[in-house]
Amino acid sequence: MKLCAVQLASLKGDVQGNLERHLHCIEQAAALGAELVVFPELSLTGYEPTLARQAALPLSSSRLDPLQALCDRHGLSVAVGLPLPTPDGIRIGMPILSPRAPRQAYAKQRLHSDELPYFVAGDQPLVFELDELRVAPAICYESMFIDHAAEARAQGAQVYLVSVAKTAKGIGEGYEHYREVARTLGLSVLLANCVGPADTFVGAGGSAAWDSQGRLLASLDDSCEGLIVLDTTNDSATAVALRTFPA
């Protein structure tokens, strides 16, 4: 099975503009044979905590319908980043859309201290199935705690799907940590990071894939938009530059 991580520069607070960019990326991933496409943390709004409340959308929002239509057309699943409203507050969410199936969502369970004024933590782990492959999502800060990945592994996960918004320092630490997650727990790891301005920092890219032995299979640089395509059938991965976005 081919899984694709998208390295993307999101437009600050522009849900419609970002949605159009997501659709463009998904079309390219589909052309490469991807059956699952994952985007960086809060990709539909950009990582902008101060804008999260006004930009939040429920999982049922019709604004996500174009994503669903592409999933149905290409027979693939998509995991995007979006602030999700709940009765308790706004969560850092990952809606997961699959062809002709009810929508699912994962919410970040462990928040960084900087996020606490703007978000509430999710309270449910998730492992979802793609054919016979079991995938566990993780969102940025929580993915740096090996117990999060260990819980996913205990629930039968084979792939750790990591969606982040990380600085250069954070991505450097992440490379060491995700290699150990893969090697120690026997999980393949697929990482999607942003590039460009985000909140008070600059996204440092470095989206990558590791096999279940901890070997780095492919990575992107710190500035380009692109795709990492992981083939779980033969433990290989390739880095692909994104074609230019439509004007």
Side-chain angles (χ1 to χ4, degrees):
M1 175 174 288
K2 289 184 177 180
L3 315 179
C4 178
V6 178
Q7 182 161 296
L8 185 66
S10 292
L11 307 172
K12 182 177 180 178
D14 184 354
V15 174
Q16 185 57 40
N18 287 322
L19 176 61
E20 292 169 4
R21 291 164 68 85
H22 280 54
L23 297 175
H24 183 69
C25 295
I26 294 165
E27 291 282 13
Q28 293 188 48
L32 296 171
E35 296 174 67
L36 171 65
V37 186
V38 61
F39 288 83
E41 183 178 18
L42 295 177
S43 58
L44 281 172
T45 60
Y47 184 85
E48 303 290 344
T50 60
L51 302 179
R53 182 168 295 278
Q54 68 193 65
L57 294 172
L59 184 62
S60 60
S61 173
S62 62
R63 297 191 71 180
L64 301 181
D65 288 354
L67 292 171
Q68 185 66 59
L70 272 193
C71 292
D72 295 346
R73 184 186 313 158
H74 293 298
L76 53 73
S77 297
V78 173
V80 300
L82 181 69
L84 293 174
T86 76
D88 298 324
I90 306 300
R91 291 179 173 174
I92 297 178
M94 181 192 285
I96 301 166
L97 289 72
S98 296
R100 292 167 290 280
R103 297 173 186 176
Q104 302 182 76
Y106 174 70
K108 190 174 186 176
Q109 298 179 82
R110 192 175 305 198
L111 301 176
H112 191 274
S113 59
D114 292 347
E115 296 169 333
L116 295 176
Y118 308 102
F119 300 105
V120 297
D123 56 8
Q124 295 293 326
L126 177 67
V127 175
F128 63 95
E129 293 192 13
L130 290 173
D131 294 330
E132 297 181 356
L133 192 70
R134 293 178 61 80
V135 178
I139 302 177
C140 209
Y141 182 64
E142 67 187 4
S143 71
M144 297 301 292
F145 296 85
I146 199 163
D147 62 318
H148 185 272
E151 180 178 4
R153 187 71 184 91
Q155 294 185 31
Q158 298 157 287
V159 176
Y160 200 45
L161 195 69
V162 185
S163 171
V164 307
K166 284 190 179 292
T167 63
K169 180 177 182 291
I171 208 68
E173 294 169 349
Y175 266 48
E176 294 298 318
H177 176 72
Y178 300 133
R179 181 186 66 186
E180 286 305 303
V181 165
R183 185 184 63 81
T184 303
L185 298 175
L187 289 167
S188 299
V189 179
L190 183 61
L191 169 69
N193 191 24
C194 62
V195 290
D199 192 32
T200 59
F201 63 93
V202 175
S207 299
W210 290 262
D211 69 11
S212 59
Q213 304 301 309
R215 292 181 292 242
L216 179 64
L217 300 175
S219 62
L220 289 166
D221 69 15
D222 62 357
S223 59
C224 75
E225 294 180 305
L227 311 174
I228 294 288
V229 181
L230 169 65
D231 190 336
T232 62
T233 60
N234 58 15
D235 280 340
S236 66
T238 55
V240 181
L242 273 174
R243 295 197 299 274
T244 305
F245 288 102

